[in-house]
Amino acid sequence: MERVNEIVGAIDSFVWGPVMLVLLVGTGIFLTVRLRFLPWRNLGYALHSVLSKEARTKKRGTGDVSPFSALMTALAATIGTGNIIGVATAMFSGGPGALVWMWISACFGLTSKFSECMLAIKYREVNEKGEMSGGPMYTMKNAFKNKTFGKTMGFLFALFSVLASFGIGNMTQANSIAGSVTEAFSIPAWITGIILTVLALAIILGGITSISKVSSVVVPGMAIFYVIAGLIVIVGNWQNIPNGLYMIFGMAFNPQAIGGGVLGTITVSVMNSIRYGVARGVFSNEAGLGSAAITAAAATTDDPVRQGYINMTGTFFDTIVVCSITGIAIAAF
């Protein structure tokens, strides 16, 4: 077991190490500048679009699910473990200042999410079942002039996505749920695992339509409940909020230890804060990883850009809203 933990730890250090994080965030910065900050400037339009009645219909264009359902399906994979365990571990390992770096990475993640989802719509295909198929693998397959290179890169992305789905897509979530249920109700982990497997199988077998229907109901309710619960914790500890915010912003840029306060004395470097903040931010909102683009490709739309704006709000809701609630609640508790 120790050997397995060492291997997993080595892989984790590489995958979420400085090089990969620089590539992810660096790409977001490049795209933001290249697009002249349009995703930032049009965030209001994007939020209005996703909350409109039209986003819940399939009147404009072709596709399998409504634009809103496509977004909720993507959020089903992001709002949850990353917002709770991800934020908590980031603030523990990287200090309270890691939350600030989660926000910063999310700002550039907006552009990454917009770009990958817009391209997924533009280069999607209709498969043999008559369903829309898209995502980075189809984008690379159809967009590159060198078709052999494009197909090879697309295959590699699909392969590594499947492998990653067993890790950050399943193991982390299932382990967190099973651990919490065991701790709170003394229910064995294997029972929780069986229940999760049966529920997931029942939904997944119905395809994207079934997944989107469940997500459209469960995700908004889950997010609203979580935000309300988080605000109750924050309001109940309002006297600690100023000191908590001071530690969050102070430890984001100050390499020295900040003593006292609700989180005690913590010593952490700025680089450590950046690493864990960015890593957990990307883990939470999945901006730049390409997974959201796969579900975005199923959306009913006649404008790839509009759907790109709708899907990029997932990063806003996930990190700027929900992760902030978690981080401030931890700092204030």
Side-chain angles (χ1 to χ4, degrees), residues 36-231:
R36 300 178 183 178
F37 297 89
L38 278 175
W40 293 10
R41 290 155 52 189
N42 291 327
L43 180 59
Y45 163 77
L47 293 172
H48 176 269
S49 296
V50 76
L51 297 175
S52 66
K53 291 183 179 179
E54 185 180 71
R56 292 166 173 79
T57 66
K58 296 194 292 183
K59 296 179 180 179
R60 299 180 62 172
T62 57
D64 301 317
V65 300
S66 69
F68 180 79
S69 295
L71 172 63
M72 290 301 106
T73 303
L75 281 177
T78 57
I79 291 184
T81 303
N83 304 112
I84 304 173
I85 305 299
V87 176
T89 55
M91 296 181 70
F92 175 79
S93 302
L99 182 62
V100 173
W101 293 105
M102 291 183 75
W103 292 336
I104 293 174
S105 68
C107 288
F108 295 106
L110 285 172
T111 311
S112 297
K113 186 68 71 71
F114 163 78
S115 301
E116 62 188 6
C117 291
M118 182 271 291
L119 291 172
I121 296 291
K122 183 177 181 180
Y123 292 105
R124 65 184 179 178
E125 299 177 358
V126 178
N127 62 25
E128 60 275 7
K129 296 181 180 180
E131 301 170 333
M132 289 294 181
S133 298
M137 53 280 196
Y138 287 92
T139 298
M140 288 185 280
K141 170 189 172 184
N142 298 323
F144 281 118
K145 292 182 179 180
N146 188 323
K147 296 303 179 184
T148 301
F149 178 74
K151 289 181 179 179
T152 302
M153 294 300 293
F155 170 79
L156 290 175
F157 174 85
L159 174 63
F160 290 128
S161 293
V162 171
L163 295 176
S165 68
F166 290 101
I168 63 174
N170 287 280
M171 290 182 183
T172 304
Q173 291 80 351
N175 181 67
S176 298
I177 295 171
S180 299
V181 172
T182 300
E183 182 71 23
F185 305 105
S186 299
I187 297 176
W190 66 269
I191 294 180
T192 303
I194 291 175
I195 294 174
L196 290 174
T197 302
V198 172
L199 291 175
L201 187 63
I203 297 170
I204 292 173
L205 287 179
I208 186 63
T209 303
S210 173
I211 297 173
S212 66
K213 285 182 179 179
V214 175
S215 299
S216 296
V217 176
V218 173
V219 174
M222 174 179 64
I224 292 172
F225 175 81
Y226 187 82
V227 168
I228 292 175
L231 289 175

